[in-house]
Amino acid sequence: MTAPMTTSSRLRRGWILDLVAVGMLLIAALIGFWTTFAGPSFLLAAVGGVVLGLAVAAVCAWRGWGILIITGATVAVYFVFGGALALPHTALLGVIPAIDTLVGLATGVITSWKQLLTTVAPVSAADGHLLVPFLIGLVASVVAASLALRLRHLAWSLLPIVAALFLVIALGVPTAAFPLVQGIAIAAVAAGWLSLRSWWAPQSSAVNVSEADPARARHMRTRRLVGGLAVVAVAAGAGAGVNAIAADSAPRHVFRDAIIPPFNIRDYASPMQGFRKTVRDQKTKTLFTVTGLPEDARVRLAAMDGWDGVVYNVTDGGPGSSSAFLPLRSDMATGVEGVPARLRFEIADYSGVWLPGTTVVDDVTFDGPRADELRRSAYSNTATDTTVVTAGLKKGDAYTVDAIIAPKVGDEQLKDAPFANIKQKVSSYSPEDLSATAADIVTDAETPIEQARALETYFAEGGFFSHGLEGEVLSRAGHTAERISTLLGGDQMIGDDEQYAVAMALAAQEVGMPVRVVMGYYPDAGRRNEPVFAATGDDVHAWVEIAFEGFGWIPFDPTPPEDKVPQDQNTKPRVDPKPQVLQPPPPPQEPVDLPPTVPDDRKAEDESLNVLGIIGLILAIAGISLGVLLLLASPFIVIGAWKAARRRARRNAQRHSDRISGGWDELTDRAIDHGARIPPGGTRVEEAGVVASVLPLPAATTLAERADGQVFGPGEPTAEEVEAFWREVDEAVNGMRSATTFWGRMKARLSVRSLTGNGRVSERVQELRDAAAARVRREPGNIDKNSPTAESETP
């Protein structure tokens, strides 16, 4: 026969079970940040916070420390380990907290939540956002584990875990990470935890063991354990079925939906609008330099696939479209095959939000005084290999691009490749005859690549080149519907990259090709081998990209060579200057009547507005400070209100005997708060002996005997006896408080040992006592004739 488990063994195993269960539940809840961080980069901070919180709760429960020491230990752990787990980029060697680390941890308690919600997800772990999962894991584990180790009812310890799960969902993104796995894991661990705790729970010493059936008790505990596991299994199966049916349900709503609007690239102008201006005004200016640009590689600025009859721009097509920009992150080219390259960009006269780059960008590293600002405002579109910086690039900015240069694909490789299955909407503003013209161009082409080359050849060989600058053939800027119609319908096609790229893209759309227009820079043939490419306005270009299945986007150049100009050049008319003739002086004019001078009183208004603004600022600071103080003091306010409510309930109980019992409970509660340890299952006299041996409370034994006499006596105590008993209890409590120091009194007021049941008689024992007292009163001969209930209790 197996030896019975001792109380210490149960306690030790119960503590291990509680800590493991709380840790597993919190990690299952925190795993919901996976989609917010786009991967497991947050796990070290989250798991580290949970483990540290469990350690704090276990040590404080083992030593019997109260809420003040628990709070202080949590704060100390936060500042000691927070740098290594949440802000490693600010710590010395990534571990030792520095001044910047401590400042970041102190301010991050308040600001990290706002930063996480006001950053478009997925967020970067390098921007200090790890503070949020670290804080949630640390605080939730301290609270949940402390409640689990100190309370008899484990349901209270589940509340911080549920709160942590709510915060993870509310602070996350609409797309859930692993909802089915999370639900099953949390339900299974919670049910198993509660069942095992019930299995290992020690029996109360006050229960009559002769009336108990140990075999039946073990059988019932086994049934509860098996039943709980069966419920979890059924719930998991039902959840999997519901998830399979409702997999396409609408995304959940989170806090960031109401706080930060999604980033919209269409709020910024298309770079194609400034194409001719760049050519005209910055023809010889160095816009930026590129070091390490591979041969035949191009610098990409923007990729656009939508035309509204006025400008070519990105389309608002949702995820995966040319407008789907997400915060810049590392490892964006995972799984892409090609030659790794590192390009160094230094900005000169270039300005704008579109970041010069290349294909395929894996990471961008900014440096210089604006590095952090640029990094935080950078958004990338992996579908088009383009990046924008909302802070705007300025002279002196520099950055390094780690990219994967795809190998060049020839027509021989593309001869059997179909067009990619990318749906695009044909613009309704295209010229009327363009559809028929495009169909005629590709009539003789048999394969998709031959059709694309036919369109490219039609424009490159059938047109003429001109920027329309001084001394060149007239060529108007822009790519509106009217300008493209003029290009295609005139006697000669005359234009530059802007018009030809748009015209070929529109023609390709008419015959069903997936196409987009790309604007960027690349050197001419004579400068392609130079180690540093200094891009000027003369190097700006626009070209067409068409998508082929299995090969991606292939570039095409429909623009004619720059030396291909019309034979009959109709240059812009020059103005024939006339000889200057001395003009007679203008006639004298009448003086103008000026309006009367009005005193300017705006200064006073400004001053009054400044005064109101200062007063408002002071009130706002005072309100925020008061709110922070109330928030910090809220745990102590709750403790005081809880104790006051329990005293009021005991003082105003329905029966007078319950008021006497409540008075004694109030006395022992205050003794427990002052450090007394009252073992469960004892009588009031035994409790009084324990209290008197620890605290200066000589009247404890007398009060205990009076309470037993009045509670278990033949009749109900009178109201006067109740008032007298409570007065003596209050006098004893005041004497107990006056005998200790100020800090001792404060510690007792803020202690939660009496609230958590530590040292109190179990509820089952109290029920047995009350039932025994009731039986004594109901026995014949023990009824007090003067009792107000005597008549109702007489048989």
Side-chain angles (χ1 to χ4, degrees):
M1 180 181 297
T2 305
M5 188 185 302
T6 63
T7 302
S8 61
S9 177
R10 287 194 184 97
L11 181 62
R12 183 168 57 254
R13 293 179 62 178
W15 274 40
I16 296 174
L17 174 64
D18 293 343
L19 295 175
V20 172
V22 170
M24 294 177 64
L25 288 172
L26 284 175
I27 292 174
L30 290 168
I31 203 71
F33 275 126
W34 190 283
T35 50
T36 305
F37 287 85
S41 59
F42 70 98
L43 283 179
L44 179 61
V47 176
V50 171
V51 172
L52 291 173
L54 295 177
V56 170
V59 171
C60 292
W62 171 56
R63 300 298 299 174
W65 291 333
I67 187 173
L68 290 180
I69 298 180
I70 295 175
T71 304
T74 304
V75 173
V77 166
Y78 172 72
F79 280 99
V80 172
F81 297 96
L85 294 174
L87 298 175
H89 57 284
T90 64
L92 300 177
L93 303 177
V95 177
I96 304 173
I99 298 298
D100 293 340
T101 307
L102 299 178
V103 173
L105 291 171
T107 58
V109 176
I110 300 174
T111 61
S112 60
W113 315 93
K114 175 186 174 183
Q115 291 176 357
L116 180 66
L117 287 175
T118 53
T119 301
V120 179
V123 300
S124 173
D127 292 338
H129 299 304
L130 293 177
L131 272 176
V132 174
F134 176 69
L135 269 172
I136 294 177
L138 177 63
V139 176
S141 59
V142 168
V143 177
S146 297
L147 295 177
L149 297 176
R150 296 168 184 260
L151 295 184
R152 294 187 302 273
H153 302 290
L154 290 180
W156 292 104
S157 59
L158 293 177
L159 293 181
I161 299 173
V162 174
L165 179 61
F166 170 78
L167 284 175
V168 171
I169 295 174
L171 297 173
V173 295
T175 304
F178 313 101
L180 181 61
V181 176
Q182 275 186 292
I184 294 176
I186 292 176
V189 173
W193 180 28
L194 297 177
S195 300
L196 287 175
R197 273 293 299 267
S198 176
W199 178 278
W200 289 339
Q203 301 298 317
S204 173
S205 60
V207 177
N208 189 351
V209 295
S210 63
E211 299 178 358
D213 187 352
R216 178 177 175 81
R218 286 195 298 271
H219 177 67
M220 294 299 295
R221 287 196 294 266
T222 303
R223 287 184 59 186
R224 285 197 298 267
L225 178 61
V226 175
L229 296 178
V231 169
V232 172
V234 173
V242 172
N243 183 73
I245 296 174
D248 295 330
S249 58
R252 60 188 180 186
H253 297 284
V254 295
F255 284 167
R256 69 175 61 248
D257 294 336
I259 293 178
I260 176 172
F263 172 72
N264 188 2
I265 185 60
R266 293 175 62 85
D267 292 339
Y268 300 89
S270 168
M272 287 289 286
Q273 292 179 278
F275 185 92
R276 186 65 64 85
K277 183 177 184 298
T278 301
V279 174
R280 183 186 68 240
D281 299 341
Q282 299 176 322
K283 185 177 181 65
T284 59
K285 293 181 179 179
T286 300
L287 303 179
F288 57 86
T289 61
V290 187
T291 304
L293 184 67
E295 187 178 359
D296 295 332
R298 302 183 179 188
V299 176
R300 300 171 67 85
L301 201 62
M304 300 147 285
D305 54 4
W307 187 63
D308 58 4
V310 178
V311 63
Y312 228 98
N313 204 348
V314 296
T315 55
D316 188 8
S321 68
S322 59
S323 61
F325 281 79
L326 297 175
L328 185 66
R329 60 184 187 276
S330 303
D331 302 327
M332 293 185 293
T334 303
V336 178
E337 297 181 357
V339 179
R342 173 164 290 186
L343 286 66
R344 172 70 176 180
F345 288 80
E346 295 182 1
I347 303 301
D349 288 332
Y350 175 82
S351 62
V353 299
W354 294 89
L355 187 79
T358 186
T359 56
V360 173
V361 176
D362 186 54
D363 192 14
V364 178
T365 305
F366 296 94
D367 50 37
R370 301 178 66 228
D372 186 63
E373 178 185 3
L374 295 175
R375 182 69 173 79
R376 290 178 180 273
S377 64
Y379 299 85
S380 179
N381 188 321
T382 55
T384 59
D385 296 318
T386 54
T387 303
V388 294
V389 179
T390 58
L393 293 173
K394 299 179 181 178
K395 189 172 185 178
D397 293 334
Y399 56 95
T400 302
V401 175
D402 292 321
I404 304 296
I405 305 299
K408 189 174 181 179
V409 180
D411 290 3
E412 186 65 24
Q413 299 172 266
L414 297 170
K415 64 179 182 179
D416 297 326
F419 293 121
N421 186 20
I422 299 176
K423 295 182 180 179
Q424 289 184 335
K425 183 179 179 181
V426 179
S427 177
S428 58
Y429 301 98
S430 297
E432 296 180 358
D433 299 334
L434 182 59
S435 179
T437 302
D440 293 338
I441 295 172
V442 301
T443 298
D444 298 331
E446 297 179 357
T447 62
I449 182 60
E450 290 178 354
Q451 295 176 0
R453 292 299 181 193
L455 286 177
E456 179 187 42
T457 302
Y458 174 81
F459 291 101
E461 296 184 358
F464 297 92
F465 182 89
S466 175
H467 283 311
L469 303 180
E470 184 177 359
E472 297 181 353
V473 176
L474 178 63
S475 173
R476 291 186 292 115
H479 52 276
T480 63
E482 183 274 332
R483 179 67 180 91
I484 300 302
S485 296
T486 302
L487 175 75
L488 299 175
D491 295 334
Q492 294 177 326
M493 289 191 298
I494 303 176
D496 56 11
D497 299 57
E498 180 182 7
Q499 291 81 42
Y500 284 109
V502 173
M504 178 179 172
L506 296 177
Q509 279 188 345
E510 293 291 341
V511 292
M513 300 181 188
V515 64
R516 64 191 184 192
V517 174
V518 181
M519 179 177 169
Y521 299 81
Y522 57 82
D524 53 33
R527 295 188 295 152
R528 290 181 182 176
N529 294 326
E530 295 180 0
V532 178
F533 167 45
T536 65
D538 194 39
D539 297 318
V540 65
H541 294 281
W543 61 92
V544 172
E545 289 184 345
I546 298 177
F548 289 83
E549 191 69 36
F551 294 92
W553 295 89
I554 306 300
F556 295 85
D557 296 301
T559 306
E562 294 189 9
D563 58 358
K564 187 180 180 183
V565 296
Q567 298 299 322
D568 51 342
Q569 297 186 11
N570 296 322
T571 57
K572 295 181 180 179
R574 295 181 178 273
V575 178
D576 186 13
K578 302 294 182 180
Q580 295 184 358
V581 179
L582 183 62
Q583 300 294 326
Q589 300 186 10
E590 297 293 332
V592 180
D593 295 332
L594 298 176
T597 303
V598 179
D600 187 2
D601 56 353
R602 289 176 295 178
K603 183 176 180 181
E605 294 179 359
D606 294 341
E607 291 178 353
S608 63
L609 291 177
N610 290 336
V611 172
L612 293 177
I614 294 173
I615 295 175
L617 180 61
I618 294 174
L619 293 176
I621 295 174
I624 294 174
S625 302
L626 180 60
V628 172
L629 291 177
L630 290 176
L631 180 62
L632 295 176
S634 58
F636 313 116
I637 297 174
V638 170
I639 293 172
W642 193 350
K643 291 183 178 180
R646 293 184 66 174
R647 173 185 170 86
R648 186 164 53 253
R650 292 165 175 171
R651 189 70 177 80
N652 300 324
Q654 184 176 2
R655 296 190 306 172
H656 288 177
S657 59
D658 291 338
R659 297 182 184 179
I660 295 293
S661 298
W664 177 254
D665 291 339
E666 186 69 19
L667 176 64
T668 54
D669 276 356
R670 302 291 76 78
I672 289 172
D673 289 340
H674 280 78
R677 295 182 178 274
I678 303 176
T683 64
R684 290 189 178 91
V685 175
E686 293 173 345
E687 292 178 350
V690 174
V691 172
S693 64
V694 178
L695 300 173
L697 198 62
T701 304
T702 303
L703 288 174
E705 294 174 349
R706 285 185 57 189
D708 284 341
Q710 292 176 346
V711 170
F712 296 103
E716 192 77 6
T718 64
E720 290 77 12
E721 291 174 335
V722 172
E723 292 294 334
F725 184 81
W726 271 89
R727 280 197 300 270
E728 294 185 25
V729 168
D730 291 339
E731 291 175 0
V733 170
N734 291 333
M736 187 191 316
R737 290 172 176 169
S738 61
T740 185
T741 62
F742 170 79
W743 293 111
R745 291 193 296 271
M746 292 301 297
K747 181 180 179 181
R749 289 181 183 275
L750 300 177
S751 175
V752 295
R753 295 181 68 241
S754 61
L755 298 176
T756 58
N758 187 5
R760 297 292 310 153
V761 178
S762 66
E763 295 178 0
R764 177 58 180 163
V765 173
Q766 189 61 47
E767 291 175 0
L768 294 175
R769 285 181 175 177
D770 295 341
R775 285 197 302 269
V776 170
R777 293 194 186 90
R778 286 196 297 267
E779 291 179 359
N782 287 341
I783 300 177
D784 188 359
K785 302 301 181 180
N786 297 325
S787 173
T789 60
E791 183 177 353
S792 61
E793 294 183 356
T794 303

